[in-house]
């Protein structure tokens, strides 16, 4: 059993809903999960976890969601050595085809630059977009959700992703 902190930011609630689902799904695997809205708690609780999951939708054409945007400079300064981290995000692959899920790329790269061990990369098959900062070596750096265009896929993707990463936490 691992203790995992999920930290999300969300403006129109979709990433909040995804965070709840991820939490519920992990509870099937007997982990201890805490869920935080970074807009309410900031970053300080992160230091209580060796295992973190970060959720951030992309806003304003390639930007972080507002709460994450305000915290980004501090996020970049965190020493993530010995921390295992997974990322998820919501975006609109049709409406913002050149910036789909960029926020996941921005935060996941800051995490690995800070020494963190990234888990939970996700295949790009089944998505249609032109460019994304979240893609590296033909994979997303975290779980890619799209409530605008593929709403019905979201719960299935969450289940698969949680199953995929569930054993990788410490
Ligand atoms: C003004 C605006 C800009 C957006 N920019 C992007 C973008 O650059 N890339 C992307 O993938 N999605 C973009 N989106 C889609 C949102 O990420 C999507 O609606 C997401 O579900 C919102 O998550 P939230 O409800 O947790 O805030 C944008 C949406 C709006 C309204």
């Amino acid at each position: 059993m691992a203790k995992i902190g999920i930290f999300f930011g969300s403006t129109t609630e979709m990433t909040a809903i995804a965070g709840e689902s991820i939490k519920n799904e992990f509870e099937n695997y007997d982990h201890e999960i805490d869920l935080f809205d970074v807009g309410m708690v900031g970053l300080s609780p992160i230091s209580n976890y060796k295992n973190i999951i970060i959720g951030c939708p992309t806003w304003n054409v390639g930007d972080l969601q507002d709460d994450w945007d305000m915290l980004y400079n501090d996020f970049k300064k965190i020493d993530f050595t010995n921390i295992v981290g997974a990322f998820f995000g919501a975006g609109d692959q049709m409406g913002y085809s050149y910036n789909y899920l960029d926020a996941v790329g921005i935060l996941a790269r800051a995490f690995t630059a800070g020494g963190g061990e990234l888990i939970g990369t996700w295949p790009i098959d089944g998505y249609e977009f032109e460019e994304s900062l979240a893609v590296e070596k033909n994979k997303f750096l975290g779980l890619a959700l799209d409530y605008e265009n593929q709403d019905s896929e979201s719960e299935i993707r969450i289940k698969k992703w949680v199953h995929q990463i569930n054993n990788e936490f410490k």
Side-chain angles (χ1 to χ4, degrees), residues 128-154:
E128 270 183 59
F129 60 96
E130 297 297 331
E131 284 176 22
S132 171
L133 291 180
V135 173
E136 212 172 276
K137 295 181 188 151
N138 275 325
K139 291 192 99 178
F140 289 115
L141 294 172
L143 174 65
L145 300 169
D146 183 341
Y147 290 96
E148 271 87 353
N149 307 293
Q150 298 177 329
D151 188 21
S152 62
E153 294 286 313
S154 298

Side-chain angles (χ1 to χ4, degrees), residues 37-156:
D37 180 341
V38 292
M40 311 284 279
V41 302
L43 296 175
S44 45
I46 287 188
S47 59
N48 299 327
Y49 296 86
K50 293 263 174 247
N51 303 297
I52 59 174
I53 298 178
I54 304 284
C56 182
T58 305
W59 274 94
N60 304 324
V61 194
D63 278 351
L64 300 175
Q65 182 268 347
D66 282 355
D67 298 310
W68 276 116
D69 199 42
M70 298 224 295
L71 296 167
Y72 180 57
N73 279 336
D74 292 333
F75 186 79
K76 279 195 294 188
K77 290 181 195 145
I78 298 175
D79 178 3
F80 289 112
T81 309
N82 292 324
I83 306 296
V84 177
F87 289 73
F88 70 98
D92 173 353
Q93 65 195 284
M94 303 281 175
Y96 300 90
S97 188
Y98 284 87
N99 298 89
Y100 177 54
L101 219 77
D102 278 1
V104 164
I106 295 167
L107 291 181
R109 285 195 174 86
F111 173 73
T112 52
E117 181 191 336
L118 183 79
I119 62 166
T121 60
W122 186 249
I124 57 171
D125 313 331
Y127 299 83
E128 270 183 59
F129 60 96
E130 297 297 331
E131 284 176 22
S132 171
L133 291 180
V135 173
E136 212 172 276
K137 295 181 188 151
N138 275 325
K139 291 192 99 178
F140 289 115
L141 294 172
L143 174 65
L145 300 169
D146 183 341
Y147 290 96
E148 271 87 353
N149 307 293
Q150 298 177 329
D151 188 21
S152 62
E153 294 286 313
S154 298
E155 285 300 309
I156 302 162

